[in-house]
Amino acid sequence: MRLYLLARNPTDSVTDGFLPAARRLGLDVTVLTDQPAAHRRRAPEPETLGCDVRDFRAVISRVSAHHRPAAVFTNSDHLQTQAALAAEYFGLPAKSWRAALATKDKAEMRRRLAAAGAAAVRAAKLPAGADPAAAAGAAGVPYPCVVKPREGVASEDVVLAADAAELVRRCAEIRARRPGEALVVEEFLDGELYTLETLGDGRVRHQLGGFHTELSPPPHFIEERMAYVPAHPAPVTAQVLAQLDALGVGFGICHTEFVVRAGRARIVEVNYRAVGDQCDLLLARLLGVPLFEHVLRTHLGEPLPADLGARTDGRARLSYPCAAAAGTLTAAPGPADLVVDGVELAYRPLRAVGERHELHRTNRDFLGVARAVGTDQARVDRVVAEFLAAQRWEITP
């Protein structure tokens, strides 16, 4: 059986998660990507073919002229709609392309949720050239508000604006970097930030827990630390699942970010893929289940078990040391795998010594990731904090 995996840039989720899982399932894998050289350097084993994966017609043509597909799958934020359309064309199990489009397009997501009466958020779409202050005022968006690319990822160019003047300035800055791209202005959702990780086959939907996320100080939203939450309060989970139902989300794996304030849960964004930045690798280890295999099996048309057999006693933390300035990384720790006081800790560099980078104020500023698993949250937190405190990163302007 052949799996077609659509991808843009290489990611840890694909290289260290889904490709090894496909091998364990005995699948023949063809990677379709618009960056074939980068994927061949990172993972030379699978067949890798060049393709304009942003165009579903090009994907269908490439697959049709190659081998018969058993599944078409992607873990990319950018390619969910294309993969869903291609899978549907070949009569294969897939996410709804309508749900994939509605979750990727943040303006459409707000419209769909509002129309369903599911935790409406005041928001306005800003086409290229639109006056942001006027659009926000017409939609009744209060200050402070958040401006973001309509189809952005990873908190890139997501920023808080305190008033109309700052909103106009922030939009001008984003448009200079993203000419012609539509933006969204929406009310700032104050409260604690959490995630819910789900996995479904269209019949059952498993809740895999989630994370409590600690962000950098405003006006930017960099995810600096995440602690695992085995289960959210039932009323909160019910609210989030109802909003996902309104969007048509239920097949495959999904990473949903939401804010809770006074018991009210409102979605920030839905990433119709596995949680990234190595959280998915940690989740598989923490739950003790073949998570990546389960995801691929759903796209092969296999039902999920009624009980995944996941562990419930695990606790975990991820921390991301961040660059504070632009420059060349001249000193940094290497990879490490340790067991300290019963806590398993893994550190992986995300930037090589000698690389020069600008300051992005997104997860592209991450220098590395420390992920730790244990059974006591306080001990896990302490081991991570002590490990990071003993390391040294130097950036030369």
Side-chain angles (χ1 to χ4, degrees):
M1 294 192 296
R2 184 165 299 272
L3 167 70
Y4 286 88
L5 193 154
L6 278 55
R8 298 206 68 196
N9 58 295
T11 64
D12 294 329
S13 296
V14 168
T15 303
D16 300 328
F18 288 108
L19 288 180
R23 286 196 295 270
R24 289 191 291 269
L25 291 174
L27 298 174
D28 297 315
V29 178
T30 298
V31 177
L32 299 183
T33 177
D34 54 1
Q35 302 177 39
H39 280 270
R40 291 182 185 121
R41 286 194 299 269
R42 183 83 182 268
E45 300 87 4
E47 178 184 47
T48 300
L49 302 178
C51 178
D52 182 4
V53 284
R54 294 167 297 180
D55 184 345
F56 72 92
R57 293 161 298 190
V59 173
I60 290 171
S61 178
R62 198 71 158 109
V63 172
S64 185
H66 198 50
H67 299 292
R68 181 178 179 181
V72 178
F73 170 77
T74 185
N75 197 54
S76 169
D77 274 307
H78 303 282
L79 304 176
Q80 293 297 332
T81 303
Q82 294 88 331
L85 285 167
E88 183 175 320
Y89 178 85
F90 290 107
L92 301 171
K95 298 170 182 174
S96 158
W97 69 263
R98 293 177 177 86
L101 188 150
T103 54
K104 177 60 176 171
D105 183 326
K106 294 173 174 58
E108 181 64 16
M109 182 189 78
R110 293 300 181 206
R111 286 191 291 265
R112 288 279 293 271
L113 289 175
V121 172
R122 287 167 288 184
K125 176 184 171 182
L126 300 181
D131 179 354
V141 179
Y143 293 100
C145 63
V146 176
V147 60
K148 61 178 74 172
R150 184 185 63 182
E151 298 187 10
V153 295
S155 298
E156 292 185 6
D157 284 322
V158 180
V159 64
L160 188 70
D163 51 35
E166 185 175 8
L167 175 60
V168 171
R169 178 168 58 85
R170 294 295 189 184
C171 287
E173 293 170 352
I174 297 171
R175 283 167 166 168
R177 292 186 290 269
R178 298 171 177 257
E181 188 165 337
L183 307 178
V184 173
V185 178
E186 61 185 36
E187 66 177 287
F188 172 59
L189 301 180
D190 192 16
E192 293 295 308
L193 180 61
Y194 294 92
T195 82
L196 178 65
E197 316 303 326
T198 55
L199 174 63
D201 60 7
R203 178 184 55 89
V204 299
R205 178 169 54 193
H206 294 288
Q207 300 161 36
L208 308 176
F211 295 90
H212 181 201
T213 305
E214 298 176 48
L215 297 171
S216 62
H220 301 284
F221 300 88
I222 306 171
E223 298 173 350
E224 295 183 337
R225 288 172 295 278
M226 302 178 75
Y228 180 66
V229 179
H232 299 295
V236 168
T237 300
Q239 292 176 62
V240 176
L241 292 178
Q243 292 170 64
L244 292 178
D245 288 342
L247 294 168
V249 171
F251 184 89
I253 196 160
C254 185
H255 163 60
T256 303
E257 299 178 7
F258 63 97
V259 162
V260 177
R261 185 173 180 83
R264 184 186 185 191
R266 291 198 286 179
I267 283 178
V268 174
E269 65 178 35
V270 179
N271 303 117
Y272 212 171
R273 53 154 172 83
V275 58
D277 295 319
Q278 300 194 14
C279 291
D280 48 357
L281 302 176
L282 176 143
L283 197 60
R285 173 70 185 87
L286 181 70
L287 299 178
V289 300
L291 179 62
F292 296 97
E293 287 92 329
H294 280 318
V295 174
L296 294 180
R297 284 190 176 109
T298 65
H299 288 264
L300 292 165
E302 299 180 21
L304 289 166
D307 184 351
L308 295 179
R311 288 181 53 187
T312 59
D313 62 339
R315 299 296 181 270
R317 174 166 291 281
L318 299 101
S319 289
Y320 304 95
C322 264
T328 301
L329 185 64
T330 52
D337 291 282
L338 308 169
V339 178
V340 180
D341 291 343
V343 174
E344 297 179 17
L345 183 144
Y347 176 78
R348 296 293 182 267
L350 296 177
R351 185 179 298 184
V353 172
E355 286 187 9
R356 177 175 178 80
H357 286 261
E358 298 304 314
L359 190 65
H360 301 284
R361 302 194 186 281
T362 72
N363 65 3
R364 287 195 286 168
D365 296 326
F366 291 167
L367 300 173
V369 52
R371 58 180 199 261
V373 173
T375 55
D376 180 84
Q377 190 66 54
R379 187 180 303 168
V380 169
D381 294 347
R382 175 178 57 81
V383 168
V384 172
E386 290 177 353
F387 172 82
L388 293 176
Q391 310 308 312
R392 182 172 59 93
W393 294 265
E394 290 185 3
I395 294 177
T396 302

